[in-house]
Amino acid sequence: MPAEVRIFGTVISTYTRIVQIVCEEAGLSHETIATAAHAPENRHPFGKVPVVEVDGLDLYESVSIVQYLDNAHNGAGLQPADPAARAAMDRWIAVANNYLFPLFEHNLVMPWIMHRYAKVPLDDEKIARALPTISKALAFCDAEIASDGAWTGGAFDLADVYLYCVLRGLQLTPQGGAGIAQCPMLSAWMAQTAERASIKATRWESEPD
Ligand SMILES: N[C@@H](CCC(=O)N[C@@H](CS)C(=O)NCC(=O)O)C(=O)O
C-alpha cells in the first residue's frame, strides 16, 4: 500500500524530521523522497524542505504541514485545547523557528555537516563568536524547563517536536553537545524525549546510539 504521506526533503534535515515525527505520532505511514532544497524539482517557492503530499494536497512550511496532519489525522492530539497552553506552545514553536534554528544552523550545525561530509574547513573564529550567544540561548531554555516543566507544562505537543529536533542537530556538534551537557534540565529533557517511540523511529542514520 502506498504511504499516506510523501515527504520531499533532505536526509539529514531538522524540518523533515519534524514532519516525520508528527506522522509517527499520528500513526500515518510516510516515506521520505530525498530532495535537495535547491534542486529544480523541489516545489517549495523559497527553496526549503520539506514539501509534503497528503490527501491530494501539496503542502509546504512545516507549521502548516504538522498542524494539518495533527488536525486531520490525529484529533489535534499534539495541540493543547486550552488557549493559554496553546499560546505557550505557539510561542515555543516561534522561538525554535525564529531564534534557535537560525542561530544553531548557521553557526554550528551546517558548518559541521559541511565539514564532516564535504570536508569544508571549519571557520573557528565564526564558531567562537557565536558560542556566547548559543550558551545564553541554552541557559534560557534550561531555566524555562526548571520553571514550568517542559515548555508548555503539559503533555507532549508540537513544541516538544520542534524543540527536540532543533536542539538535537546542535547536540550532535562537539560545541553544541558540550553546551547542552552544561544545562542539567535541558540534558535530562533531551534524554527523556529521545526515548519516545516517534523520536526513535525517525533517528538520523548518522546519529550515534
Ligand atoms: N520555515 C521552513 C523552514 C525549513 C528549512 O529551513 N529547512 C531547511 C532544512 S532543515 C532548508 O531547507 N535549508 C536549505 C536552505 O535554507 O538553503 C519550514 O518550517 O518548513
Side-chain angles (χ1 to χ4, degrees), residues 30 49 187:
H30 57 98
V49 291
S187 293

Side-chain angles (χ1 to χ4, degrees), residues 3 28 74 78 119 125 153 158-159 164 171 177 183:
L28 289 164
N74 194 36
L78 294 172
K119 306 289 172 232
E125 279 180 27
L158 291 176
Y164 182 82
Q171 194 177 34
C183 299

Side-chain angles (χ1 to χ4, degrees), residues 13-15 37-38 47-50 61-62 101:
S13 154
T14 298
Y15 286 94
H38 298 285
K48 303 284 180 187
V49 291
E61 284 302 299
S62 62
F101 179 77

Side-chain angles (χ1 to χ4, degrees), residues 37-54:
H38 298 285
E41 65 271 24
N42 183 21
R43 286 162 288 158
H44 193 296
F46 294 90
K48 303 284 180 187
V49 291
V51 171
V52 162
E53 287 175 9
V54 60

Side-chain angles (χ1 to χ4, degrees), residues 10 12-19 36-38 42 44 46-51 60-65 97 101 105-106 110 162 204:
T10 40
I12 307 176
S13 154
T14 298
Y15 286 94
T16 300
R17 188 173 188 186
I18 285 167
V19 173
H38 298 285
N42 183 21
H44 193 296
F46 294 90
K48 303 284 180 187
V49 291
V51 171
Y60 64 88
E61 284 302 299
S62 62
V63 171
S64 157
I65 297 166
N97 286 340
F101 179 77
E105 183 78 357
H106 297 140
M110 199 41 77
Y162 273 84
W204 290 311

Side-chain angles (χ1 to χ4, degrees), residues 79-92 151-154 157:
Q79 301 166 83
D82 171 66
R86 175 61 192 248
M89 183 192 83
D90 289 344
R91 182 182 69 241
W92 276 109
W151 324 119
T152 57
D157 64 25

Side-chain angles (χ1 to χ4, degrees), residues 3-25:
E4 291 161 277
V5 184
R6 285 164 55 84
I7 305 168
F8 298 83
T10 40
V11 181
I12 307 176
S13 154
T14 298
Y15 286 94
T16 300
R17 188 173 188 186
I18 285 167
V19 173
Q20 291 167 337
I21 291 172
V22 172
C23 288
E24 290 287 326
E25 292 284 339

